[in-house]
Amino acid sequence: MAEDFDVIVVGSGISGGWAAKEFCEKGFKTLVIERGRHVEHGEDYIGENKDPWEMKFRDRVDRKLADQRYPRQKRCYAFKDSTKHFFNDDVDYPYSVPEGRNFEWIRGHHLGGRSLLWHRQSYRWSDMDFSSNARDGYGTDWPVRYKDMAPWYDYVEEFVGISGTMEGMDQLPDGKFLPPIGFNCAEEEFAKRIEKAFDDRRLIPGRCAHLTEPTEVHMELGRGTCQSRNQCQRGCSLGAYFSSQSATLPAADRTGNMTIATDSIVHSIIYDDETKRASGVRVVDANTMEGRTYSAKVIFLCASTLGTAQVLLNSTSEHFQNGFANSSDAVGRYLMDHLAFTGATGELHGFQDHYYIGRKPNSIYLPRFTNLERDEEDFLRGYAYQGGSSRLGWSSRLSDKGFGADFKESFKTPGVWEIGLEGYGEMLPMADNRVTLHKTKVDKWGMPQLHIDAKFGENDKKIRKAMREEAVKIMQAAGLKNITTYNTEDSLGLSIHEMGTARMGNDPREAVVNGYNQCHDVENVFITDGAAMASSACQNPSLTYMAFTARAADYAAKQMKIGKL
């Protein structure tokens, strides 16, 4: 049975939560469709506050269970016994890749989506990032520039609560920050040494979505100050880090305009040939397998980069025979992820009388310093570093050999300070990196499985090599000892920053959405998650998704009010 709404939002994660909040606050009757189960803020954070000894394997997942049910999800750093209920079972949610290639699709289908699992690092993109495609010719030119996005970054930052420092760097614009979660003593010393050794590099505290001094906006929603427990992926009943559950969904709910349908898998979008618009969506009940439809004036797709691509590709009709709004043939193409899982670690000697209090839920950040004004390297685009430092503890010495009281006593003494730098590089958008629907395989709900075919290009490989080598040079210049490098080649997807598959651009012949995230082919359908990204920059993308979503919702709402949508 069809139900009528003003707006349908598909997905309830970072982007979906923002779309729901914006439309509900503007007075529109809004339906949020989530394919996974309901997760109640606080009550359903079953791993929160558990100590290691309360879990059979000290927060590690039973190896047999992980191997059998979570062979892909187990590669995520946040996959633990206390969090595994927020990850998809790979057996129930299969997809395929070509033989010899990998793409790890890390995901969680439940209310709030990956907003409960994200690492909360939040950085603005710069004018350089929105100009990069035009500068070197890879990818479509973005229809927007930083000046178009700056007010929307301001808007979302004040609501989310981003802690950080003002730095005055063009390549990493400052924002509306709460007080930072600063350095520990080793990081502070490392930053001083880098600044002394390099004119073009500066180590800064990470900018993260944690409340260090909640404002009235945050406290009205029941959100409190971060307690530095660093158990964030378990869910935070304090609402100290930003998630759909802690912020956007409660804000939408208090308007009385939001309806949520969980356990509802969007099968496809319904296209009306007469009006040339979408009239609604077909849904499969995840528990009963029954089908139903919902209708609305406007549809926002926020199902995640690959989830949105799946819905678009499965929405075929006489008018759109190769996928919804796909006259450009760009749907599914230009898939990107950040280049990561390569870098270096080194020891900072000294400070043996220093330790730290609390478990800082934040990183250090070294902003991009290459190819800023012009392309000076043997690769295009650039990279930044994220990392952190801590004193080595007993867990790093499990393979040590010894016996006796002195040997046992030595494990009680903290080890040296270790600092890590992991590169985050920009992956070029390439047409052949794409996702399609598998020709024969379907999942348990009858949805065609995704087939993900992507690989690193030559430019990507050069950046990965440079990130590793330059990390060593930085550490050597800063006087670190025992420097070692690491490099995980089969890491595509593990950054969990997948972007592209329905890219933005001015030309309908080569892009799926315009500068307001509105489909070129169907004016009442918008795509505001990572699928719409035309390039990947090297900064974490979630803050930009939020800004794009709020901006697109504002545009759509104005069009609806004057009767154009």
Side-chain angles (χ1 to χ4, degrees):
M1 179 180 176
E3 294 185 51
D4 294 326
F5 294 88
D6 294 319
V7 181
I8 288 174
V9 177
V10 181
S12 63
I14 290 276
S15 302
W18 265 99
K21 169 187 173 299
E22 294 303 297
F23 281 114
C24 287
E25 290 182 342
K26 295 177 191 300
F28 294 99
K29 188 179 174 186
T30 303
L31 172 68
V32 178
I33 302 178
E34 168 53 53
R35 66 174 297 156
R37 65 187 173 90
H38 180 82
V39 172
E40 188 68 32
H41 181 51
E43 183 177 323
D44 289 331
Y45 303 156
I46 58 177
E48 188 179 23
N49 291 325
K50 275 191 175 180
D51 287 310
W53 52 87
E54 295 180 85
M55 294 173 274
K56 185 176 181 181
F57 299 105
R58 304 296 189 261
D59 208 14
R60 293 188 179 186
V61 178
D62 183 319
R63 185 176 298 177
K64 187 175 180 181
L65 176 68
D67 290 344
Q68 290 181 346
R69 306 296 302 194
Y70 302 94
R72 297 187 186 277
Q73 309 304 307
K74 72 177 185 180
R75 296 191 66 195
C76 176
Y77 68 94
F79 181 74
K80 299 178 181 177
D81 194 46
S82 58
T83 63
K84 65 179 185 298
H85 49 283
F86 289 144
F87 287 84
N88 278 10
D89 182 322
D90 289 316
V91 178
D92 285 339
Y93 298 91
Y95 64 94
S96 59
V97 297
E99 188 173 350
R101 292 187 183 174
N102 82 292
F103 191 99
E104 307 300 346
W105 187 11
I106 308 299
R107 49 202 166 132
H109 290 159
H110 47 256
L111 191 67
R114 291 187 295 195
S115 77
L116 288 172
L117 288 169
W118 71 311
H119 204 56
R120 309 162 304 282
Q121 292 294 296
S122 303
Y123 302 95
R124 295 187 180 204
W125 288 23
S126 69
D127 208 49
M128 174 184 65
D129 299 312
F130 290 113
S131 305
S132 58
N133 287 1
R135 176 168 137 181
D136 59 38
Y138 283 89
T140 54
D141 186 14
W142 283 91
V144 299
R145 291 295 185 264
Y146 179 70
K147 63 180 173 54
D148 303 306
M149 299 304 298
W152 294 101
Y153 278 126
D154 288 350
Y155 179 71
V156 298
E157 283 173 344
E158 288 182 328
F159 180 79
V160 170
I162 308 293
S163 67
T165 52
M166 305 293 276
E167 301 289 346
M169 306 173 79
D170 289 342
Q171 71 270 39
L172 192 73
D174 293 329
K176 303 285 186 182
F177 297 141
L178 301 174
I181 298 176
F183 292 141
N184 60 35
C185 63
E187 293 159 356
E188 188 174 346
E189 178 67 17
F190 189 42
K192 288 178 183 175
R193 295 184 186 184
I194 290 174
E195 195 162 343
K196 185 177 179 181
F198 300 95
D199 293 331
D200 60 346
R201 301 167 202 195
R202 192 185 312 167
L203 191 73
I204 66 174
R207 294 171 177 174
C208 62
H210 285 256
L211 299 183
T212 51
E213 283 186 9
T215 66
E216 191 65 31
V217 170
H218 307 129
M219 291 187 285
E220 283 177 357
L221 291 167
R223 302 181 63 194
T225 307
C226 177
Q227 303 297 305
S228 294
R229 299 178 300 173
N230 202 11
Q231 297 184 353
C232 309
Q233 283 87 11
R234 301 182 185 189
C236 179
S237 57
L238 302 170
Y241 80 82
F242 174 85
S243 67
S244 296
Q245 266 85 351
S246 70
T248 47
L249 292 181
D253 189 54
R254 66 186 176 186
T255 67
N257 291 322
M258 181 173 68
T259 300
I260 296 177
T262 53
D263 300 300
S264 301
I265 301 167
V266 173
H267 173 277
S268 53
I269 302 168
I270 305 167
Y271 181 72
D272 187 329
D273 260 326
E274 289 188 11
T275 63
K276 307 301 180 189
R277 293 184 177 186
S279 60
V281 296
R282 302 180 187 90
V283 166
V284 177
D285 188 295
N287 298 316
T288 67
M289 300 290 287
E290 293 179 352
R292 59 180 181 273
T293 62
Y294 295 105
S295 60
K297 300 181 182 74
V298 166
I299 297 171
F300 263 55
L301 288 177
C302 306
S304 82
T305 292
L306 292 169
T308 287
Q310 187 177 30
V311 172
L312 291 171
L313 292 169
N314 200 41
S315 302
T316 55
S317 62
E318 187 174 343
H319 190 78
F320 292 118
Q321 296 186 10
N322 65 338
F324 191 85
N326 194 21
S327 64
S328 63
D329 192 33
V331 171
R333 296 185 182 274
Y334 306 99
L335 176 63
M336 300 166 281
D337 185 32
H338 275 145
L339 311 170
F341 290 84
T342 189
T345 60
E347 295 176 357
L348 179 74
H349 292 175
F351 299 97
Q352 292 299 296
D353 58 341
H354 287 60
Y355 206 67
Y356 36 80
I357 298 172
R359 306 175 179 117
K360 188 175 69 168
N362 190 24
S363 304
I364 54 178
Y365 195 78
L366 203 160
R368 175 175 164 178
F369 52 86
T370 58
N371 291 342
L372 297 183
E373 301 293 334
R374 56 188 180 280
D375 295 325
E376 302 168 308
E377 308 285 349
D378 68 341
F379 54 81
L380 300 173
R381 315 292 171 103
Y383 59 87
Y385 289 106
Q386 299 184 36
S389 74
S390 62
R391 293 192 70 169
L392 293 177
W394 62 268
S395 60
S396 66
R397 296 182 53 205
L398 291 177
S399 60
D400 285 7
K401 296 178 180 178
F403 61 89
D406 290 344
F407 183 70
K408 290 173 64 178
E409 188 64 24
S410 71
F411 279 77
K412 297 179 181 177
T413 305
V416 298
W417 287 92
E418 184 181 71
I419 294 177
L421 287 179
E422 180 182 2
Y424 274 72
E426 178 167 358
M427 186 175 183
L428 286 180
M430 306 300 287
D432 289 341
N433 283 341
R434 66 183 302 194
V435 57
T436 54
L437 297 183
H438 198 285
K439 293 179 181 177
T440 57
K441 295 180 179 178
V442 296
D443 65 19
K444 61 192 287 187
W445 297 278
M447 284 285 286
Q449 293 182 22
L450 289 184
H451 182 70
I452 305 172
D453 186 356
K455 64 178 182 179
F456 295 132
E458 290 308 309
N459 195 73
D460 307 325
K461 293 175 182 175
K462 287 180 179 178
I463 289 181
R464 293 182 62 84
K465 181 172 181 286
M467 293 193 300
R468 193 164 55 254
E469 293 177 348
E470 203 64 30
V472 172
K473 291 179 184 176
I474 292 170
M475 290 185 169
Q476 288 174 334
L480 269 57
K481 308 295 182 186
N482 298 323
I483 299 167
T484 58
T485 61
Y486 60 93
N487 182 37
T488 305
E489 288 286 357
D490 62 341
S491 58
L492 193 52
L494 281 177
S495 296
I496 325 177
H497 292 168
E498 59 266 20
M499 288 174 264
T501 73
R503 67 179 181 176
M504 181 181 286
N506 282 316
D507 190 343
R509 294 170 299 180
E510 57 183 23
V512 180
V513 298
N514 65 21
Y516 286 102
N517 296 78
Q518 182 181 30
C519 287
H520 283 296
D521 292 345
V522 187
E523 62 183 4
N524 69 330
V525 176
F526 294 71
I527 300 170
T528 69
D529 54 25
M533 303 301 275
S535 64
S536 68
C538 63
Q539 299 95 314
N540 303 50
S542 294
L543 186 70
T544 300
Y545 301 166
M546 298 185 217
F548 268 126
T549 302
R551 180 172 176 269
D554 181 72
Y555 172 80
K558 288 175 179 172
Q559 297 297 302
M560 293 169 76
K561 286 180 178 176
I562 61 174
K564 288 191 173 181
L565 284 179

